[in-house]
Amino acid sequence: MTVKEKQAILVLCGCDIAVDGRWGNESSAACRSFQTDAGITADGVFGHDTEQSARNYVAESKQIARKNVATGDSTPAPAMPSGNGSGMVSKYFSDTFTGSPSVSKLA
């Protein structure tokens, strides 16, 4: 998985970071914040546990969004407890990133 793919997944999880392909302080801090919110070891490394937690979060968000469209329900996407932005997958990022071959495999 490339750095840009990892950053895009963090954005889908509500993190407010640039998807620029450089894993610097901003990406590491966003990763730690997501890890803390997800209840996993917060080390800033986007490893197996982080990837699985992020994939689960995105899949759950997509499932809720599909249900909302089908039923007209207004239930929001699951929010992360705190610290990483809104915690909701916005329409902009869903439209922008879910067409990407690597990110669309998440769910």
Side-chain angles (χ1 to χ4, degrees):
M1 179 179 287
T2 69
V3 170
K4 279 189 176 184
E5 289 168 335
K6 292 174 183 181
Q7 290 170 325
I9 291 169
L10 288 171
V11 168
L12 286 170
C13 292
C15 296
D16 184 19
I17 59 171
V19 179
D20 59 10
R22 293 177 294 201
W23 194 266
N25 291 337
E26 181 184 35
S27 297
S28 186
C31 186
R32 279 192 305 277
S33 180
F34 173 78
Q35 291 166 330
T36 298
D37 292 345
I40 58 178
T41 301
D43 58 7
V45 176
F46 196 103
H48 176 75
D49 290 345
T50 303
E51 181 178 351
Q52 287 306 113
S53 293
R55 285 178 185 273
N56 292 341
Y57 174 80
V58 171
E60 185 178 344
S61 297
K62 288 174 99 175
Q63 183 178 14
I64 289 171
R66 285 186 195 113
K67 177 184 158 259
N68 290 352
V69 168
T71 65
D73 190 359
S74 61
T75 303
M80 296 303 287
S82 65
N84 70 337
S86 68
M88 297 176 68
V89 178
S90 71
K91 179 172 176 13
Y92 170 77
F93 288 115
S94 295
D95 291 347
T96 302
F97 293 112
T98 55
S100 165
S102 57
V103 177
S104 64
K105 295 181 203 172
L106 293 174

